Amino acid sequence: MTISAAFSPGSALVGGVLIGLAAVLLLLTTGRIAGVSGYVSRLLPPYDDRAFAERAAFVLGLLSAPVLVMALTRSEIPHVVTNNSGWLIAGGLLVGLGTVLGGGCTSGHGVCGLARLSPRSFAATGVFMAAAIVTVFVVRHVM
Amino acid sequence: MKLVATYVSGLVFGIGLVLSGLSNPAKVLGFLDLAGVWDPSLAFTMGGAVLTAFLGYRWVLGKAHPLFAEAFSLPTRRHVDGHLVAGAAMFGVGWGLVGYCPGPAVVALTLGHSQTYVFFASMLAGMILARWLPADPPKVAAT
C-alpha cells in the first residue's frame, strides 16, 4: 500500500475537531443531533414539525462556510469531482434514498451516533463504510 | 437565539468539512481507495470528530435540558432493522460512486460546479422517493 502525497493529518484532524465541536454546540443549544441528511430531508414536504426555520438555518450555515474560509485564507478551495452525469445522478439518488431509509449519514450515524455509542449507528457506519470501500474498489480497480 | 446557534453550528460544521478536505470528493475517494494510493487523512477527521463529540456529548447530556429548547430531541430507536442496513448499504454505494455525502454536497453548492447541482438534485429526488417506501421495517436483530 502506498500512502498518498496528499496525506494531510494536521488539517484533517483540525477539521474533524471542528465538526465535533459543531455537533456539541448544536446539541447544547437546541438538543438536536447534527445529522445533515435529516436537516436537508426535512426541508422537503411533508412537514411533521414546525422547525423549518431551524433546518434552513443549519443549511445556510453550511453554505456560508466556504465563503468564510476563502475570505480568511485568500485561496481557492480544492474541489475535484467526476463529470460523469450517470454517476452523479445514480450517486445522488442512492445517497438520498439510503440516508432517509437508513436514518442518517456520515454525520448523523458516523459522528453523532458513534459519539452516543448507539448500536444502530455502529451497524449503519460499518455497513456504509464497507459499501463505499467496495464500490470504490470495483469502480477503480475492476471496471 | 436557537436560530443563531443553529446557523453558527452549521457554519462551524461546514468549516470543519472544508478544512479537513471532506468536502472534496477526490480527497474522500482517496481515503476510500484502500487498494490504490491511499490517503488516510479522513481517518483523522472521523477520529477527531467522534472523540470530540463523545466527550462533549457526555458533558451536555448531563444537563437537564438544552439552552434554547425544553428537551433533547434524541433518536429513540435501538434495534438494528432491515431499513437501517439496506439504507446504509445504498448510501455507501452512492457515496463511493461520486465521493459526496449530504454535508459535503451542501457545502460544495457554494463553489458553483454544475456537477454538484446534478448530484444534489438527484439526492433530493432520492429523499422524496424514500418517503414512498413502507413505514414498518422488518426486524433484523433486537438489542
Side-chain angles (χ1 to χ4, degrees), chain B residues 31-104:
Chain B
F31 168 65
L32 295 170
D33 190 6
L34 300 184
V37 180
W38 188 46
D39 182 353
S41 305
L42 294 180
F44 286 75
T45 303
M46 295 298 292
V50 173
L51 184 61
T52 306
F54 172 73
L55 294 171
Y57 272 18
R58 282 172 66 100
W59 171 63
V60 172
L61 291 174
K63 297 176 182 303
H65 57 82
L67 292 182
F68 308 124
E70 286 177 7
F72 292 103
S73 309
L74 299 174
T76 50
R77 286 180 291 180
R78 300 280 295 170
H79 59 270
V80 176
D81 57 44
H83 277 197
L84 181 84
V85 176
M90 271 190 260
F91 163 53
V93 173
W95 188 33
L97 281 179
V98 176
Y100 276 140
C101 56

Side-chain angles (χ1 to χ4, degrees), chain B residues 113-130:
Chain B
H113 305 287
S114 58
Q115 297 99 311
T116 316
Y117 293 114
V118 172
F119 180 91
F120 193 78
S122 307
M123 187 178 87
L124 294 181
M127 288 177 163
I128 291 169
L129 265 171

Side-chain angles (χ1 to χ4, degrees), chain A residues 2 4 6 41 63-64 79 141, chain B residues 7 27 33 38 100 110 131:
Chain A
T2 342
S4 167
S41 64
L63 291 168
S64 307
H79 195 86
H141 303 289
Chain B
Y7 173 80
K27 189 94 175 154
D33 190 6
W38 188 46
Y100 276 140
T110 304
R131 294 164 183 234

Side-chain angles (χ1 to χ4, degrees), chain A residues 1-9 11-34 36-47 53-55 57-70 73 77-85 87-107 109-121 123-125 127-129 131-137 139-141, chain B residues 1-27 29-42 44-50 52-57 59-61 63 65-69 71-98 100-104 106-111 113-116 118-120 122-131 133-134 143:
Chain A
M1 174 179 277
T2 342
I3 297 295
S4 167
F7 180 42
S8 55
S11 52
L13 187 60
V14 169
V17 170
L18 284 174
I19 289 168
L21 287 175
V24 174
L25 181 64
L26 191 67
L27 188 72
L28 173 68
T29 53
T30 71
R32 294 193 192 280
I33 294 294
V36 181
S37 61
Y39 273 82
V40 173
S41 64
R42 289 180 179 92
L43 285 176
L44 303 164
Y47 303 110
E54 271 183 69
R55 274 52 184 266
F58 188 79
V59 170
L60 280 172
L62 287 174
L63 291 168
S64 307
V67 177
L68 191 62
V69 173
M70 286 191 283
T73 63
I77 291 170
H79 195 86
V80 175
V81 63
T82 183
N83 276 319
N84 187 320
S85 15
W87 289 135
L88 291 166
I89 292 168
L93 281 171
L94 286 168
V95 167
L97 203 56
T99 53
V100 171
L101 191 62
C105 57
T106 38
S107 55
H109 280 308
V111 175
C112 303
L114 295 192
R116 291 175 61 221
L117 305 178
S118 157
R120 278 175 60 88
S121 293
T125 303
V127 170
F128 70 63
M129 287 301 309
I133 287 167
V134 168
T135 301
V136 171
F137 179 77
V139 168
R140 286 192 167 185
H141 303 289
Chain B
M1 271 314 292
K2 192 194 280 191
L3 289 183
V4 173
T6 304
Y7 173 80
V8 172
S9 301
L11 180 62
V12 175
F13 198 101
I15 293 171
L17 288 176
V18 172
L19 287 182
S20 62
L22 199 47
S23 66
N24 181 2
K27 189 94 175 154
L29 295 178
F31 168 65
L32 295 170
D33 190 6
L34 300 184
V37 180
W38 188 46
D39 182 353
S41 305
L42 294 180
F44 286 75
T45 303
M46 295 298 292
V50 173
T52 306
F54 172 73
L55 294 171
Y57 272 18
W59 171 63
V60 172
L61 291 174
K63 297 176 182 303
H65 57 82
L67 292 182
F68 308 124
F72 292 103
S73 309
L74 299 174
T76 50
R77 286 180 291 180
R78 300 280 295 170
H79 59 270
V80 176
D81 57 44
H83 277 197
L84 181 84
V85 176
M90 271 190 260
F91 163 53
V93 173
W95 188 33
L97 281 179
V98 176
Y100 276 140
C101 56
V106 173
V107 167
L109 289 172
T110 304
L111 302 178
H113 305 287
S114 58
Q115 297 99 311
T116 316
V118 172
F119 180 91
F120 193 78
S122 307
M123 187 178 87
L124 294 181
M127 288 177 163
I128 291 169
L129 265 171
R131 294 164 183 234
L133 290 167
T143 51

